[in-house]
Amino acid sequence: MNRAVKHRKNEPRILIVSVRGFRLHVANCGIYEFEDLICDLESAKLYAPTQEFDLARKIYRLAKYATGSDTIASALAPFPTEVVLENEYDLLFVVCDNPWQLHRLGAIKNWQDKCRHKACYVMETWKLNFNDWRLAYEPFKNFDHIFAGTIHCVEPYSNVTGLPCSYLAPGVDTLKFCPYPNPPQRMIDVCAIGRRPAETHQSLFQYSQQNNNFFYYYDTFNNPGKLEIGNPREHRAKLIDVLQRSRYNIAAHARFDATSETGGQQEIGFRYFEGVAAGTVLVGMPPMGDVFPHYFDWEDPIIKVNLFEQDVLEVIQALNAQPETVERMRRRNVANSLRKHDWVYRWRDILATFNLAPSPAVIERENHLQQLACRIESIDMPVAC
C-alpha cells in the first residue's frame, strides 16, 4: 500500500530518507541521532525503507551501466512505490553510510519534482572506493550537492560526479552527552570502545586483572563488520552512560587497523566527538593533517600517545597525579563541544548551502548551547572522581 507524505500548513519543509529501516549496524547510531534531531528541530518527515530492493537495484545498475542514463535506469527498474509525495519540500536530505545505498530513492514517487533542493550525506567513503568504476554510476547526478563524511573524498566526489561536494564532520547531540551540571561519578578508569591497538588493550587488560581497583571497559566482539543492535536510541543512551562515567577514553583515527580498506587515509571518527562531549579525557592518536586541529582547536583536546609504541598506563598514571588539570580538561572538552560539535551546527551548514533560513528551533538550540557552555566554564566545580 502506498503511503502518502502529508503536508500540514507551514510544515514540513524537510524530507529525510534514512537507511535505518534495514541497516542496524552499531556504527550507524550516530547518524540516526542526527536524523532524529533534524526531525525534532524541523518537524521533518522521515522515510526509512525496510528492504534493500535487491532485484530493482540489480536491474537499475545494469541499465545504468549499459546506457549511462539515470532516467532510463529508473524507468526500467521495478522499484515498488512506497511513498507518494503530494506536497512540495524545500530540501530532500538522504543520509547513508556508504555510496551504494542511493538507489532506494526509486521507491519514492515524484521526489525529483516535489523537492526543490536535493542533497545526500555519505558518511563513509575511502579513496580506494573511487578505483571501482561502478561508483560513478550510482545516482549522484540526481542531487544538487554531496556532503561527505570523509574529508579526503571531497575532491574525488566532485571529480567523479561534477557536483559540488562539502565536508561535513561528525557531530553529537551534545545536550544528551553533556554530564553537567550534575556529573555522575567516573567509576570507569579507562574506556576503549570499538577498534583499539592490541598492544594497548593487553597492557590495560593485564593491569585490570592485577588491580581490582582499576576498571577497564572494553568491547569483546570479534567481527565489527557484523555488529548489529536492536534499538539505536537505546544503544546511544548506553554509550552516553558509559562515557559519562569514564575518566579516560582511548581514541584512534577511523579504521586505523584496516589499511586495506582505507589505503592509509586518516579520518576523524565519531569517538573523538563523543568522548569530549561526555567529558572524558581522550588518550590516543589523532589523524594526521589539518582537520583535527581545525575542529579540536582548544588546549589539550587529546593527550597524544602512540598507542603502538608507548605505555598508555604510564601516561594515565601521570594524569591521575594531576586531578585539577584533568578536571579543567574535562570542562574545556564539554564546553567546546557544546559550542562547536552539536549536530545543530552541522545542520545549519547544510541549510546555508541552499540559502535556507534556520528554523526558530535551530536558533533557540544554538543559543541554549552557547549559554550552557558559558555556565559550565564559570561554575566553580569540585574535582570530579
Side-chain angles (χ1 to χ4, degrees):
M1 180 180 296
N2 294 347
R3 293 175 290 166
V5 178
K6 299 294 184 182
H7 177 65
R8 293 174 291 175
K9 186 177 181 180
N10 297 327
E11 62 175 349
R13 62 174 182 162
I14 309 296
L15 175 63
I16 301 172
V17 178
S18 170
V19 298
R20 67 174 66 197
F22 62 88
R23 176 83 164 143
L24 291 175
H25 193 278
V26 64
N28 284 44
C29 293
I31 59 175
Y32 299 157
E33 179 184 80
F34 186 25
E35 296 167 356
D36 289 341
L37 186 61
I38 298 172
C39 288
D40 290 342
L41 295 173
E42 298 283 355
S43 297
K45 289 294 183 181
L46 186 144
Y47 165 58
T50 58
Q51 56 179 307
E52 297 264 16
F53 307 131
D54 286 337
L55 176 61
R57 176 185 60 192
K58 290 176 182 178
I59 294 175
Y60 173 91
R61 285 178 173 161
L62 287 173
K64 181 67 182 291
Y65 300 159
T67 67
S69 169
D70 284 325
T71 302
I72 295 175
S74 297
L76 293 175
F79 283 103
T81 300
E82 289 201 337
V83 173
V84 178
L85 301 186
E86 296 180 346
N87 300 283
E88 295 184 353
Y89 293 84
D90 284 335
L91 176 63
L92 169 73
F93 187 53
V94 181
V95 185
C96 52
D97 55 297
N98 68 67
W100 312 102
Q101 298 169 335
L102 298 174
H103 66 277
R104 291 170 183 85
L105 283 169
I108 305 175
K109 187 176 181 180
N110 295 339
W111 67 270
Q112 289 175 306
D113 298 325
K114 294 292 187 179
C115 300
R116 184 156 61 104
H117 302 294
K118 307 164 191 71
C120 61
Y121 181 27
V122 186
M123 271 305 305
E124 186 172 325
T125 318
W126 304 99
K127 280 188 174 181
L128 290 179
N129 295 141
F130 293 90
N131 294 335
D132 187 341
W133 61 269
R134 293 173 296 181
L135 185 140
Y137 285 86
E138 293 302 296
F140 291 108
K141 293 190 183 299
N142 292 323
F143 297 94
D144 304 310
H145 200 101
I146 300 170
F147 293 96
T150 46
I151 194 165
H152 292 89
C153 291
V154 170
E155 185 175 350
Y157 265 128
S158 292
N159 292 339
V160 165
T161 66
L163 295 174
C165 181
S166 305
Y167 176 57
L168 196 72
V172 292
D173 186 333
T174 57
L175 290 180
K176 290 182 178 178
F177 276 79
C178 178
Y180 300 113
N182 300 304
Q185 183 178 0
R186 294 191 180 269
M187 300 173 290
I188 300 172
D189 291 283
V190 181
C191 175
I193 296 176
R195 301 169 188 264
R196 73 259 165 163
E199 299 88 344
T200 296
H201 172 66
Q202 282 303 312
S203 176
L204 293 169
F205 176 74
Q206 291 298 330
Y207 187 71
S208 70
Q209 298 303 293
Q210 299 163 5
N211 187 340
N212 288 333
N213 294 320
F214 185 82
F215 187 179
Y216 172 41
Y217 185 95
Y218 55 93
D219 287 329
T220 57
F221 59 86
N222 280 331
N223 190 343
K226 294 186 179 296
L227 184 60
E228 292 190 350
I229 45 88
N231 186 306
R233 293 180 184 178
E234 290 181 3
H235 175 81
R236 205 70 176 158
K238 179 56 64 178
L239 173 66
I240 292 170
D241 285 344
V242 169
L243 291 177
Q244 286 183 344
R245 289 160 177 80
S246 299
R247 296 183 179 183
Y248 304 102
N249 187 26
I250 303 299
H253 51 87
R255 293 184 183 266
F256 70 91
D257 59 348
T259 54
S260 61
E261 299 174 33
T262 67
Q265 174 183 333
Q266 295 191 8
E267 297 282 348
I268 304 179
F270 272 82
R271 291 291 171 254
Y272 300 102
F273 296 90
E274 295 161 349
V276 295
T280 70
V281 172
L282 295 182
V283 178
M285 305 180 297
M288 297 175 62
D290 299 330
V291 179
F292 186 88
H294 174 77
Y295 284 91
F296 296 84
D297 59 353
W298 59 91
E299 183 182 358
D300 292 329
I302 186 170
I303 304 301
K304 294 182 181 180
V305 177
N306 187 322
L307 297 175
F308 296 102
E309 298 178 2
Q310 294 176 260
D311 187 351
V312 70
L313 274 173
E314 291 183 1
V315 175
I316 289 171
Q317 289 166 351
L319 289 168
N320 283 339
Q322 309 170 65
E324 293 183 0
T325 298
V326 168
E327 180 59 20
R328 285 194 294 270
M329 290 180 190
R330 296 194 201 288
R331 247 194 282 186
R332 278 198 303 268
N333 283 349
V334 174
N336 280 285
S337 293
L338 291 165
R339 289 195 174 103
K340 302 171 186 287
H341 297 321
D342 191 82
W343 279 123
V344 74
Y345 304 123
R346 310 297 188 251
W347 179 238
R348 169 78 87 129
D349 290 341
I350 293 167
L351 292 175
T353 299
F354 300 102
N355 294 316
L356 296 174
S359 68
V362 166
I363 296 172
E364 181 181 357
R365 183 178 178 92
E366 288 176 338
N367 290 338
H368 178 57
L369 292 168
Q370 299 297 319
Q371 292 166 8
L372 180 57
C374 289
R375 288 200 297 271
I376 289 170
E377 288 178 330
S378 64
I379 295 174
D380 185 16
M381 296 182 182
V383 173
C385 295

